[in-house]
Amino acid sequence: MLCDTKQREYSREEVARHDNAESLWVVRGNQVFDLTLFHTDHPGGSDMLMQFAGQDITEVMRDSSIHAHALQAYRVLRDFYIGEVTADDRRTIPLAKDSSRDEMECVEDEKFLDLRKPLFMQMWRSKFSKDFYIREVHKAHHLPGPAVFFSNSILETFTRTPWWVIPVYWTPIMITLLVLGIKYEPANVLFVGFVFGLISWTLLEYSMHRFVFHYDENIPEGKLAQVAHFLLHGVHHYLPMDPLRLVMPPALSTFLALNILAILSCIFTPGMLHAVAAGLITGYVLYDECHYWLHHGSTSNKQLTQLKTYHLRHHYKDFKAGFGITSDFWDKIFGTEFATPE
């Protein structure tokens, strides 16, 4: 549990009154959970959770016809525990089929990081083995607000990036590149280069996510490698719904962009270089905004809903597959789709 809340007891009737978006409680087993701050971030969408507001969701979470929940879901649910059902309202809870223990009993006690304290120094002082770190950092947790990285407020500011910073920062750079490029090549040539860069981004997106962000088991033993991995991508899997760690800070993305630009300058001539770079930047901006939406957006559009489900499955069920963000195209090409259909 994330807080030292004094244990309280609630009747099922009292829980049933918390059945709306402003106050959403549920019972699971004989425990009570307050999901008010979580329902908009629910991987299956807020509407799915709202159907069961104020109700007992024990069997709902087991029902595969609705959506069978993995152990990861019970771990996230535990973060929202607020108390127990009153003695006269307690029920005997049958175990799930083919199980000898209740699902909540299978959730191990937290042995990784204390989310009530700044995360960076905990990682810096850690002595985790690589196997332990990789296993724990991919267990999703949830906080009602952004996690704290540093106790120093100035350093902390540089770790937080609202979604709107990305288009505000990169759009003028993209336009400048096109304006400079027109001095070297006509508009039709720039258009071809721009489209090429835009399409190429999808492969770059997939490759970076799979081979850089998910270097995972290949990182060397030791604290420095773990800290670097945690800052680059690990924290996103540990806290997938942190709203200020879903898009890449401009300082880091600029560093990566300059290295990519250096490689492109060895391949393309001026003009075409400007256009391809502008296309890549446009692809990146669309990707980062799409990524934020996949975590916090909702829609009735079937295709977008499937894309959201696909990405969140990467977070909550199998981080070793599903590396495409804006599309599953390259996963299909390289055989990194999920082993079983959702």
Side-chain angles (χ1 to χ4, degrees), residues 8-20 22-36 52-57 82-86 89 91:
R8 291 192 57 190
E9 293 188 342
Y10 306 92
S11 68
R12 291 178 181 269
E13 182 180 357
E14 183 177 0
V15 173
R17 291 197 291 268
H18 297 268
D19 63 350
N20 54 75
E22 285 69 40
S23 184
L24 197 165
W25 293 12
V26 295
V27 173
R28 194 276 155 197
N30 286 303
Q31 296 179 319
V32 181
F33 302 88
D34 182 354
L35 302 182
T36 307
F52 306 102
Q55 302 176 38
D56 190 317
I57 62 170
I82 59 172
E84 300 284 324
V85 171
T86 54
D89 254 349
R91 299 174 182 172

Side-chain angles (χ1 to χ4, degrees), residues 205-214 233 314 322-323 325:
E205 165 202 313
Y206 171 88
S207 300
M208 290 183 65
H209 191 197
R210 179 181 178 184
F211 298 111
V212 179
F213 295 164
H214 279 281
H233 196 61
H314 168 77
F323 299 106
I325 309 296

Side-chain angles (χ1 to χ4, degrees), residues 130-143:
K130 180 177 73 173
D131 290 342
F132 175 84
Y133 166 76
I134 293 298
R135 182 173 67 252
E136 293 298 316
V137 82
H138 288 101
K139 293 179 179 178
H141 290 68
H142 194 282
L143 286 174

Side-chain angles (χ1 to χ4, degrees), residues 270-336:
M272 183 59 75
L273 171 65
H274 291 75
V276 172
L280 285 170
I281 289 174
T282 302
Y284 164 68
V285 171
L286 293 174
Y287 146 79
D288 241 355
E289 300 307 287
C290 175
H291 185 218
Y292 184 92
W293 181 89
L294 291 176
H295 282 263
H296 289 288
S298 61
T299 180
S300 58
N301 181 275
K302 183 179 180 181
Q303 285 71 34
L304 290 176
T305 298
Q306 289 176 339
L307 187 63
K308 178 183 177 76
T309 301
Y310 187 83
H311 180 60
L312 293 182
R313 187 177 181 185
H314 168 77
H315 277 281
Y316 289 95
K317 290 192 175 181
D318 186 3
F319 67 89
K320 296 182 180 181
F323 299 106
I325 309 296
T326 56
S327 167
D328 62 356
F329 176 78
W330 295 109
D331 282 313
K332 292 178 179 178
I333 296 297
F334 294 113
T336 52

Side-chain angles (χ1 to χ4, degrees), residues 25-74:
W25 293 12
V26 295
V27 173
R28 194 276 155 197
N30 286 303
Q31 296 179 319
V32 181
F33 302 88
D34 182 354
L35 302 182
T36 307
L37 297 176
F38 175 70
H39 74 91
T40 55
D41 294 338
H42 181 245
S46 176
D47 291 343
M48 172 70 75
L49 202 53
M50 287 299 298
Q51 295 179 55
F52 306 102
Q55 302 176 38
D56 190 317
I57 62 170
T58 307
E59 293 305 320
V60 172
M61 292 186 70
R62 294 170 175 171
D63 190 344
S64 59
S65 67
I66 299 175
H67 176 68
H69 289 74
L71 187 61
Q72 190 81 295
Y74 293 91

Side-chain angles (χ1 to χ4, degrees), residues 261-273:
L261 184 63
I263 296 173
L264 293 177
S265 65
C266 298
I267 302 173
F268 298 104
T269 58
M272 183 59 75
L273 171 65

